[in-house]
Amino acid sequence: MGPEQIASALRTLLSIRQPVFLWGAPGVGKSQVVAQVAREKGLILRDIRAVLLDPVDLRGLPRITKSGVAAWCPPAFLPPEDEKTEGILFLDELNSAPPLVQAACYQLILDRAIGEYHLPDGWCIVAAGNREKDRSVTHRMPAALANRMVHLDFDVSLDDWLVWARKHDIRNDVRSFIRFRPRFLHNFDPASAEKAFPSPRSWEFVSHVLDAAPEDEVLYELVKGTVGQVCAAEFMGYRAVWQDIPDMEEVLDKPDTVKVPEEPAALYALCEVLASAADDDTIDALAEYAMRMPPEFGVLLMRDCIQEKSSLAGSSAFARWAEANAEVLL
């Protein structure tokens, strides 16, 4: 399931307070999707790293009451029993925790309680972890615990990531490279000894690194240390082409005369740059330039413009372009 499908499934399961476990390779964005759904629904998110817990931590500490009876003080990371708000108790890296810690979660996940403590009615439990085949630090999940949750497999989706990346200001050159080389969005080989590998998370890091404007002599090493040697070499070669694309302002001012690149890499990059400027004032120029591009890239540019601002689909410029390219769109 892609991120959008995972988010939709989470909304359904949260509405019925059904515990769920998200399985996925490192770096695909499991925790980001949980945080996104929490924000959308206005829920408090308590992120608990199960691997950092001891078996007794969930129970808390004992104390003596005024009546001389032993009682337990629940840990601060669990929401108070009288909590009136709604939230998600997120047990991240649950299957990386030792078996005794996972066993301590049995009652909390199934009965929404542990010892005398009861999870507030408005709270839901979501867990996540890496797959055993990914060579991450994992422990086999006991069947008794696994049977207490719905299990969802988290897969990478290029379209979903591109939408997310645009919303989160991931750089144009990073987005256009991933569109040009989609296999590098997530390319994790458990058998490889290389420490860095491309993933949705590491591409976000690359975007931040580029925003920091590192010196040219260290840029390749920084990218290599983030996404790996092979991917870094291709990305740096792509950026050399990307930097030679026509200036956006020139395209918008003279869409009928500005040169259209021939290299596919440059065209992918140019579509990303131009679409980011799509609005009511620029759509005429963008549609005219799209007419001069190879058909598949004209479609790509106009589709990205609509994703940037959906109301542009009702513009006269878009209608003229669609009519002229009806055969391509069928």
Side-chain angles (χ1 to χ4, degrees):
M1 301 175 70
E4 286 301 317
Q5 292 176 304
I6 291 288
S8 177
L10 281 177
R11 296 183 195 103
T12 298
L13 295 173
L14 292 174
S15 69
I16 59 175
R17 304 291 187 263
Q18 171 63 50
V20 56
F21 194 103
L22 305 181
W23 296 88
V28 297
K30 299 182 290 293
S31 57
Q32 288 92 331
V33 169
V34 175
Q36 170 196 324
V37 172
R39 285 193 300 270
E40 289 175 358
K41 297 181 70 66
L43 302 174
I44 298 172
L45 179 64
R46 294 214 175 187
D47 189 337
I48 301 171
R49 303 290 161 149
V51 71
L52 302 179
L53 300 177
D54 283 327
V56 297
D57 288 344
L58 285 169
R59 186 73 184 269
L61 293 174
R63 64 180 176 85
I64 305 298
T65 66
K66 293 181 179 179
S67 59
V69 177
W72 290 85
C73 298
F77 57 74
L78 292 177
E81 291 188 77
D82 59 354
E83 180 72 69
K84 301 301 182 185
T85 57
E86 297 183 342
I88 296 175
L89 189 65
F90 183 36
L91 302 175
D92 203 0
E93 301 175 2
L94 177 58
N95 61 331
S96 296
L100 285 177
V101 174
Q102 295 187 40
C105 296
Y106 286 3
Q107 187 184 12
L108 181 62
I109 293 173
L110 180 62
D111 299 328
R112 301 174 56 83
I114 185 164
E116 296 84 6
Y117 171 82
H118 292 271
L119 192 68
D121 291 339
W123 283 70
C124 317
I125 295 177
V126 176
N130 298 323
R131 304 167 302 188
E132 294 177 15
K133 67 180 182 181
D134 294 325
R135 286 181 56 193
S136 300
V137 178
T138 61
H139 297 274
R140 193 170 192 83
M141 183 178 294
L145 176 58
N147 191 239
R148 284 157 165 75
M149 293 178 285
V150 171
H151 297 266
L152 302 177
D153 291 320
F154 195 121
D155 298 316
V156 174
S157 165
L158 174 63
D159 290 338
D160 287 349
W161 185 83
L162 288 171
V163 171
W164 175 89
R166 188 180 294 276
K167 290 180 180 178
H168 289 79
D169 297 324
I170 301 301
R171 292 171 57 96
N172 290 334
D173 48 353
V174 173
R175 298 203 311 265
S176 60
F177 173 74
I178 295 301
R179 196 193 292 274
F180 180 58
R181 284 283 191 265
R183 74 182 184 90
F184 283 126
L185 174 57
H186 189 268
N187 191 15
F188 175 63
D189 180 6
S192 173
E194 191 167 17
K195 299 179 179 66
F197 61 91
S199 71
R201 178 166 58 200
S202 58
W203 282 117
E204 183 179 6
F205 295 163
V206 168
S207 182
H208 294 328
V209 167
L210 293 172
D211 284 340
E215 296 180 359
D216 291 342
E217 56 266 28
V218 300
L219 177 57
Y220 170 72
E221 293 298 326
L222 289 172
V223 176
K224 184 180 76 171
T226 307
V227 295
Q229 183 176 1
V230 173
C231 186
E234 290 220 22
F235 177 67
M236 295 302 291
Y238 176 84
R239 287 191 82 238
V241 174
W242 181 84
Q243 291 171 346
D244 292 334
I245 65 175
D247 179 72
M248 179 176 66
E249 293 301 327
E250 188 178 5
V251 173
L252 295 178
D253 288 341
K254 304 173 182 178
D256 55 334
T257 59
V258 173
K259 181 180 178 181
V260 176
E262 296 181 1
E263 287 288 333
L267 286 165
Y268 275 112
L270 186 56
C271 287
E272 285 287 345
V273 173
L274 294 178
S276 67
D279 59 27
D280 295 331
D281 297 326
T282 61
I283 188 60
D284 286 290
L286 293 174
E288 184 172 353
Y289 192 73
M291 294 273 200
R292 300 175 53 223
M293 301 176 80
E296 64 272 25
F297 287 99
V299 172
L300 177 61
L301 172 57
M302 298 309 291
R303 188 189 71 175
D304 285 354
C305 289
I306 299 306
Q307 288 182 342
E308 184 73 21
K309 189 174 182 181
S310 59
S311 62
L312 295 178
S315 66
S316 57
F318 182 82
R320 290 194 302 273
W321 172 85
E323 183 178 357
N325 291 271
E327 294 183 0
V328 180
L329 297 174
L330 290 177

